[in-house]
Amino acid sequence: MNLANKITLARIFLVPIIMFLLLINVNLKPLTFSDFSITWNQILAALIFIVAASTDGLDGYIARKNKIVTNLGKLLDPLADKLLVAAVLISLVEMDKVDAWIAIVIISREFAVTGLRQIALLEGRVLAASKWGKWKTAVQITMIIALLINNFPFALVDFRFDLVASWAAALITVYSGVDYFVKNKNLIPLSE
């Protein structure tokens, strides 16, 4: 197994650790500034999430640079991304930090686009990520980080950046999904 695939697998293995940290109930004294408070397990989960999310670009860069792109990597990389985002979103819903409908919109789009990519693979085509898909990922990661760290530092000035980021993520997720299907409508059989 090459280095790029090992990095992707590491991202997958970080998912349950992040979920555990978010969902455990520990009685450690939280970190507090004025009216802002965050638990140590949330801080650690956020740091691990940031590391995991940043490996997404790293594994692809290493694979392309060293010409070690493999079918396993092509399968694992998008799977790792979807697992990471879906698991953290579900944890955030459980923690009552994000509305369930936003998580459903994001996760549903990922399933739908994955299905379209599978249809394309059956036709012998590989669908590359669009610029909107890349923006979607960046906005989703920004939203998740804001939610993981309780909207810090914006909470100190009473600005709901986490709410703005959540709405932005939902909107760009829907738009990028529609864009993806419109551009690849020739793959969808209208009659069988």
Side-chain angles (χ1 to χ4, degrees):
M1 181 172 296
N2 65 45
L3 177 61
N5 290 346
K6 287 179 183 176
I7 291 170
T8 303
L9 278 176
R11 187 161 69 251
I12 292 171
F13 289 127
L14 289 175
V15 169
I17 295 169
I18 296 168
M19 288 184 71
F20 174 77
L21 288 169
L22 291 175
L23 299 175
I24 61 170
N25 192 3
V26 293
N27 292 323
L28 297 175
K29 185 177 178 184
L31 187 61
T32 305
F33 307 99
S34 131
D35 292 334
F36 174 80
S37 181
I38 187 169
T39 63
W40 288 101
N41 52 310
Q42 274 182 269
I43 294 169
L44 187 54
L47 291 173
I48 294 171
F49 176 81
I50 291 166
V51 168
S54 66
T55 64
D56 179 30
L58 180 63
D59 57 7
Y61 171 78
I62 290 171
R64 288 185 300 277
K65 181 181 180 215
N66 297 320
K67 295 181 173 64
I68 53 173
V69 175
T70 64
N71 286 335
L72 179 62
K74 289 178 188 177
L75 173 72
L76 286 181
D77 185 59
L79 176 66
D81 299 341
K82 286 160 185 43
L83 284 172
L84 180 65
V85 169
V88 175
L89 279 174
I90 291 167
S91 299
L92 289 167
V93 168
E94 173 67 21
M95 296 167 68
D96 208 22
K97 290 190 172 289
V98 68
D99 290 336
W101 73 266
I102 291 175
I104 291 167
V105 164
I106 291 171
I107 294 168
S108 297
R109 184 263 187 210
E110 297 307 327
F111 277 122
V113 169
T114 298
L116 186 61
R117 281 192 165 137
Q118 293 300 317
I119 292 169
L121 281 175
L122 293 172
E123 301 281 326
R125 294 175 48 194
V126 175
L127 301 182
S130 69
K131 69 175 181 179
W132 287 109
K134 292 177 183 180
W135 274 103
K136 176 235 8 144
T137 301
V139 173
Q140 286 177 1
I141 289 170
T142 302
M143 171 199 73
I144 289 170
I145 293 170
L147 292 166
L148 287 175
I149 60 173
N150 293 347
N151 199 36
F152 183 80
F154 303 101
L156 299 175
V157 293
D158 204 27
F159 175 61
R160 292 297 311 269
F161 176 78
D162 57 344
L163 186 61
V164 171
S166 296
W167 274 92
L171 291 172
I172 197 167
T173 295
V174 169
Y175 182 83
S176 69
V178 169
D179 179 64
Y180 208 80
F181 274 85
V182 168
K183 287 182 178 171
N184 297 289
K185 64 182 177 258
N186 60 323
L187 290 171
I188 302 168
L190 298 175
S191 63
E192 284 288 320

